[in-house]
Amino acid sequence: MQPSQLSSGDVIADRRADYARMLDEGGEPDAAAELMEQALELTPAWAAGWYRLATYREKASKMDAAVEAYRRTLELDPEDIFGAGLKLALLGDAETPDQPSSRYVERLFDDYADRFETSLVEKLDYSVPQKLAALVASTGRQYQCAVDLGCGTGLLGPEIRTRVAQLEGFDLSQNMLVKAAEKHVYDHLAQADLSLPPKASGLFADGARHRADLVTAADVLMYLGNLESVFAILDELLAPGADFAFSVEDGGEGNGFHLAPSLRYAHSETYVEGLAAAHRLQIRETVKTVIRKDGGKPVLGILFLTRKTA
């Protein structure tokens, strides 16, 4: 189990949950669900256990029962650190939230930090940092202050460091920030929440408004859905003439965004163009490309290079 899903507080329940996990990994989700139900009879208030039961039922194509278990998870965990609300939306039982719970995203990446780079780079062919850095390099500019939003373990930092005098990194996950610090690339690292208004986000606790002449966001916005909060932060962060380089998962046609089965959001090019125009960001270049693999299949994304007008 992940660190956030450790003990139920009952030895027998934990043992049954471990056996259930092994059954699931062995391709027997029905049997896993039955054993998990037995564990939850002993610990009915175990939110993580209900989430696991829901996933087993979903794999066994028992959708109504899965919905019931996801609802129970959410009742026991109103902060929704497991993302049960997103699962209910995908199963058609709830409206798609504009943004996921910040606690869900924080927990997800805190748990993922130790294996993030191995999984993403070596197994999923993740290429956004290099491709986004190439867009930044195409400007030919040297930057005084760059802010890397959602810096994660710091994969983008080394790619742009030679173009930047001062490099700041912000992330919601403290465990990711620890990994980024180990690279000794960033001049300043701190926690920030891009779903909050600018003053509450954490981006201005130690830094001035309009300080950045470059802002980057590599593979970050797909964990936010509605991007109004991000662009409000950019209004306060970008200096006139500053560049903003970022990626989204390609949401196809339309003028909005949707929640994908991966529990990430995909944004349409039209939606991003509308936000950019509303916030006085001129789109300088757009690149459609494969950004990673998911389940062995390519995930299409869009890279944008924009510039803040006066």
Side-chain angles (χ1 to χ4, degrees):
M1 299 176 71
Q2 297 301 333
S4 59
Q5 297 172 284
L6 287 175
S7 175
S8 67
D10 184 289
V11 174
I12 296 175
D14 284 350
R15 188 174 300 140
R16 289 178 180 174
D18 285 341
Y19 288 148
R21 174 180 52 80
M22 288 188 285
L23 286 168
D24 175 59
E25 291 173 351
E28 299 182 65
D30 262 321
E34 184 177 343
L35 200 53
M36 199 68 213
E37 288 165 4
Q38 295 176 24
L40 286 165
E41 289 174 3
L42 299 172
T43 55
W46 187 22
W50 282 100
Y51 185 84
R52 289 179 61 183
L53 173 60
T55 63
Y56 300 155
R57 287 174 170 176
E58 189 177 354
K59 288 179 183 178
S61 299
K62 295 181 176 179
M63 297 309 179
D64 289 344
V67 164
E68 179 186 357
Y70 283 129
R71 285 178 185 167
R72 183 64 177 146
T73 306
L74 202 52
E75 289 172 5
L76 293 167
D77 171 35
E79 289 190 313
D80 198 16
I81 68 171
F82 302 108
L86 298 177
K87 296 293 289 189
L88 287 170
L90 283 176
L91 292 175
D93 189 68
E95 292 294 322
T96 300
D98 272 358
Q99 293 181 329
S101 157
S102 292
R103 288 287 290 115
Y104 160 70
V105 179
E106 182 179 12
R107 189 276 309 174
L108 179 69
F109 286 100
D110 274 349
D111 286 354
Y112 197 20
D114 285 339
R115 63 191 191 284
F116 178 79
E117 292 192 16
T118 299
S119 175
L120 201 59
V121 178
E122 297 179 14
K123 296 180 181 179
L124 303 181
D125 293 338
Y126 177 59
S127 58
V128 171
Q130 294 79 12
K131 292 176 178 178
L132 211 56
L135 269 186
V136 172
S138 72
T139 68
R141 299 177 68 180
Q142 292 292 129
Y143 299 94
Q144 287 302 306
C145 176
V147 176
D148 187 11
L149 298 177
C151 64
T153 60
L155 289 172
L156 180 59
E159 302 288 339
I160 62 173
R161 178 73 253 200
T162 58
R163 295 190 164 273
V164 176
Q166 175 83 9
L167 180 58
E168 303 176 12
F170 292 88
D171 202 273
L172 187 57
S173 165
Q174 290 284 11
N175 289 356
M176 288 289 203
L177 290 168
V178 169
K179 293 294 182 182
E182 293 173 358
K183 289 185 168 59
H184 303 288
V185 168
Y186 293 86
D187 299 295
H188 175 73
L189 288 163
Q191 190 174 33
D193 188 341
L194 300 179
S195 71
L196 298 177
K199 287 184 179 179
S201 68
L203 281 156
F204 303 96
D206 299 308
R209 296 171 62 234
H210 308 301
R211 67 184 182 273
D213 53 358
L214 173 65
V215 173
T216 56
D219 234 22
V220 177
L221 305 187
M222 53 278 295
Y223 294 99
L224 283 161
N226 188 319
L227 300 180
E228 291 285 355
S229 64
V230 177
F231 280 79
I233 286 170
L234 291 168
D235 285 341
E236 299 294 310
L237 188 57
L238 293 168
D243 289 335
F244 175 41
F246 61 101
S247 65
V248 299
E249 288 193 10
D250 191 345
E253 301 298 324
N255 185 29
F257 56 90
H258 67 267
L259 182 64
S262 62
L263 300 188
R264 295 188 299 265
Y265 290 85
H267 300 85
S268 74
E269 186 173 0
T270 303
Y271 174 74
V272 175
E273 289 172 343
L275 277 174
H279 292 269
R280 303 195 314 278
L281 287 167
Q282 179 188 43
I283 295 177
R284 312 270 297 184
E285 191 168 351
T286 303
V287 178
K288 294 194 174 186
T289 183
V290 173
I291 56 176
R292 73 157 82 78
K293 291 181 180 176
D294 194 344
K297 298 180 180 179
V299 176
L300 299 178
I302 314 174
L303 311 183
F304 292 89
L305 176 65
T306 67
R307 183 162 294 170
K308 183 74 172 181
T309 60

